[in-house]
Amino acid sequence: MRRLVAGFAIVVAGLFQAPATFAQEEARAPQEVPAAAVLTVDSDLMFSQSLFGLRVTQELAAEEAVLLAENRSIQAELTAEERELTNQREGMDPKAFRAVADAFDARVVQIRNEQEQKSRNIEVQRQREEEAFIRAASPILTDLMREAGASVILERREVLLSDPAIDITPMAIKRLNQILGDGLPSATDTPEE
């Protein structure tokens, strides 16, 4: 999630390169955020409690559960195969046994590599989803920042001491849920044929 924070910091920094029109935006927007020059947000909480983050967490947990079940099944099969191979050892020529054992070991290594790659793929997907979340959340956070008349949003964990009133995490989650939902295109978003 540190990458999520770093990505957020880069996006927020880029926002200040364009001229700000905070006064105009503030006049139009309902004031639900505190009027402050500095705001804080807990990006981990924002992600994990938003509909978008909850969806991602559930999807990845399901993929991890499938992988874990697959790993257990493979482990049981390989354990049984190893036991059978051990039982056959006494009746086999040592060279023949060594060849069979080496083939078994090579297969175990190949399977382990394949399963580890599946685990890495899940982690890559997690990182992609977090990056997509930050891209989608940035305009929403920018609007909250403008409504507050703030010039920066800081990661709450990085601030030593602050007034809890400047933490916009709950407001950000509410707005994210209203605008992004779970982050998937709805049936009304798809083009008609």
Side-chain angles (χ1 to χ4, degrees):
M1 194 46 95
R2 287 285 180 210
R3 284 181 225 135
L4 183 66
V5 172
F8 175 69
I10 291 168
V11 171
V12 169
L15 295 173
F16 297 109
Q17 294 176 357
T21 56
F22 295 128
Q24 294 170 358
E25 293 291 330
E26 192 173 311
R28 287 188 285 151
Q31 188 66 26
E32 64 177 72
V33 294
V38 176
L39 300 172
T40 61
V41 70
D42 182 331
S43 61
D44 287 338
L45 195 61
M46 189 175 66
F47 180 77
S48 68
Q49 291 190 358
S50 68
L51 295 174
F52 189 116
L54 289 169
R55 174 193 53 85
V56 169
T57 301
Q58 290 171 352
E59 288 175 356
L60 294 177
E63 288 183 36
E64 289 170 338
V66 167
L67 181 59
L68 184 59
E70 189 175 286
N71 287 343
R72 286 181 183 144
S73 173
I74 290 169
Q75 182 180 8
E77 289 172 19
L78 291 175
T79 300
E81 191 174 331
E82 181 182 29
R83 196 173 302 123
E84 184 179 325
L85 187 59
T86 302
N87 291 339
Q88 292 175 357
R89 181 178 189 172
E90 287 184 28
M92 291 180 75
D93 174 63
K95 285 184 181 180
F97 176 77
R98 175 55 35 214
V100 171
D102 288 345
F104 175 77
D105 289 343
R107 199 166 127 252
V108 168
V109 168
Q110 178 185 357
I111 290 170
R112 181 181 304 126
N113 290 340
E114 289 169 358
Q115 296 306 102
E116 287 174 355
Q117 183 60 49
K118 290 177 184 179
S119 181
R120 284 190 296 271
N121 291 345
I122 291 172
E123 185 55 34
V124 166
Q125 183 61 27
R126 182 182 324 279
Q127 291 169 0
R128 285 184 184 148
E129 291 286 0
E130 288 175 354
E131 290 167 5
F133 176 75
I134 285 299
R135 282 191 306 274
S138 291
I140 296 164
L141 293 172
T142 301
D143 287 344
L144 287 169
M145 187 173 64
R146 287 182 177 154
E147 290 171 25
S151 42
V152 67
I153 299 176
L154 300 175
E155 179 61 50
R156 190 171 72 189
R157 287 181 310 279
E158 304 299 323
V159 175
L160 180 61
L161 186 63
S162 69
D163 182 347
I166 67 167
D167 178 20
I168 62 164
T169 305
M171 290 168 249
I173 293 168
K174 180 180 175 186
R175 188 85 53 99
L176 288 163
N177 288 345
Q178 290 169 345
I179 296 171
L180 297 180
D182 65 5
L184 293 175
S186 65
T188 57
D189 292 342
T190 56
E192 295 182 22
E193 294 182 28

